[in-house]
Amino acid sequence: MKPRPKRRAIATLLALAITAAAGSVQAWGDIGHRIVAELAWRQLDPAAKAEVQRLLATDGDDSLADIASWPDHLRNDPEHEALGKATGPLHYINFATNCRYDGPADASARNVVGGLEKYVAILGDRHRSNAERAEALKFVVHFVGDVHQPLHAGNRDDKGGNDYQVQFGGKGTNLHRVWDSQMLYTADLKWDAYADKLAAEGPVKLPRAKGDAYVQWAEESCSIVARPGFYPNGHKIDDAYVAKYLPVAETRLREAGKRLADLLDKTLD
Ligand SMILES: [Zn+2]
């Protein structure tokens, strides 16, 4: 099917409006996913950049940031509802208390590790159609963001903090939303200005690689969630919490951006 950008844009806006109204229960909000994608884009090597651009164009898209939240909106789009349902569990992972991954580290895993395995393999497979690979690109960009959002790989039985109510700025919300977007909003920057600010901090120093990369990224997220004080005292997000954890959230965005760039370089060159 030929891309029809106008219709797609309207459908996307509608989906966004519906999601906003319903209160998103998924990954980094749009702002976090856009920042990760933009940071990755700026660090891609020229060959991977050209291939990304070619794949995006097959679907009428022009930037990695624009497609970064696509998998979060599938369920609100009648055309993609089934795909949204089928891929729902691939946005996160639930750990036991010890933050040690003990499932299969391959595409059979019904969690974000399996989601990354599956869609990176499709993206790198030159025998697949452009349409399949373009779709896989959207999932890869999104899931690298998700696995770096600490509450997408937590170790409590509270739907990644969605069931954990907190007070923030005098209003009721939940811990997942605070980490998705509300804490990032306190910087009062639009996503592109935020990406500029984080890029200006220079190259991020990545933790030393060990074992399966996707498992490592998920376990890192879990270990952040397991820190004392991550679940705030008295269910209240105060200035001290933001001062302590906003830099942690920003580091996760920078790590995700660099790792996504490295992954796309490796997969597409
Ligand atoms: Zn997600």
Side-chain angles (χ1 to χ4, degrees):
M1 207 168 77
K2 279 215 174 128
R4 277 177 288 178
K6 281 232 174 81
R7 203 175 137 248
R8 290 171 50 88
I10 291 165
T12 305
L13 277 176
L14 261 177
L16 284 171
I18 291 163
T19 309
S24 174
V25 291
Q26 320 217 4
W28 294 116
D30 197 54
I31 183 171
H33 280 293
R34 278 180 173 271
I35 291 169
V36 169
E38 178 62 22
L39 291 177
W41 172 253
R42 294 179 187 198
Q43 298 174 80
L44 281 182
D45 67 34
K49 234 175 194 174
E51 183 64 357
V52 162
Q53 235 155 3
R54 192 185 69 79
L55 287 172
L56 289 175
T58 63
D59 225 0
D61 298 308
D62 4 83
S63 83
L64 273 190
D66 280 351
I67 54 90
S69 297
W70 180 78
D72 274 345
H73 303 301
L74 294 175
R75 287 198 223 207
N76 305 117
D77 173 359
E79 206 183 317
H80 293 112
E81 207 182 338
L83 180 63
K85 270 206 178 124
T87 53
L90 308 183
H91 293 244
Y92 62 91
I93 176 172
N94 294 319
F95 278 95
T97 43
N98 65 5
C99 291
R100 280 276 153 260
Y101 186 82
D102 58 7
D106 59 36
S108 72
R110 296 288 296 154
N111 57 41
V112 70
V113 170
L116 280 163
E117 290 284 353
K118 173 178 171 170
Y119 285 107
V120 170
I122 294 172
L123 178 61
D125 183 351
R126 308 282 162 150
H127 301 294
R128 299 269 193 163
S129 69
N130 285 326
E132 280 177 294
R133 295 180 62 215
E135 183 184 286
L137 174 65
K138 298 179 195 180
F139 280 112
V140 170
V141 170
H142 186 82
F143 291 157
V144 172
D146 275 355
V147 74
H148 283 82
Q149 206 276 44
L151 281 166
H152 271 248
N155 60 349
R156 291 204 192 186
D157 191 16
D158 62 3
K159 299 198 176 71
N162 273 296
D163 289 345
Y164 191 89
Q165 301 301 306
V166 293
Q167 285 284 314
F168 184 30
K171 290 197 179 116
T173 179
N174 67 63
L175 192 59
H176 193 95
R177 294 184 68 173
V178 168
W179 274 86
D180 253 6
S181 52
Q182 291 176 328
M183 199 159 56
L184 297 175
Y185 291 154
T186 64
D188 203 21
L189 293 169
K190 282 180 65 181
W191 67 270
D192 43 356
Y194 216 141
D196 288 341
K197 172 185 130 81
L198 297 181
E201 292 177 22
V204 65
K205 192 173 176 300
L206 291 176
R208 203 164 61 84
K210 47 177 187 199
D212 183 281
Y214 312 146
V215 167
Q216 177 180 346
W217 303 346
E219 288 182 349
E220 287 168 4
S221 278
C222 186
S223 70
I224 293 170
V225 171
R227 287 182 196 170
F230 182 95
Y231 277 77
N233 264 338
H235 292 250
K236 193 171 184 306
I237 305 290
D238 56 14
D239 291 348
Y241 187 95
V242 174
K244 182 173 176 185
Y245 281 110
L246 182 56
V248 175
E250 290 180 348
T251 298
R252 290 306 273 168
L253 295 173
R254 292 169 67 215
E255 288 171 352
K258 171 65 175 148
R259 284 165 165 168
L260 176 58
D262 291 348
L263 181 61
L264 293 177
D265 282 349
K266 199 173 75 181
T267 308
L268 295 174
D269 283 5

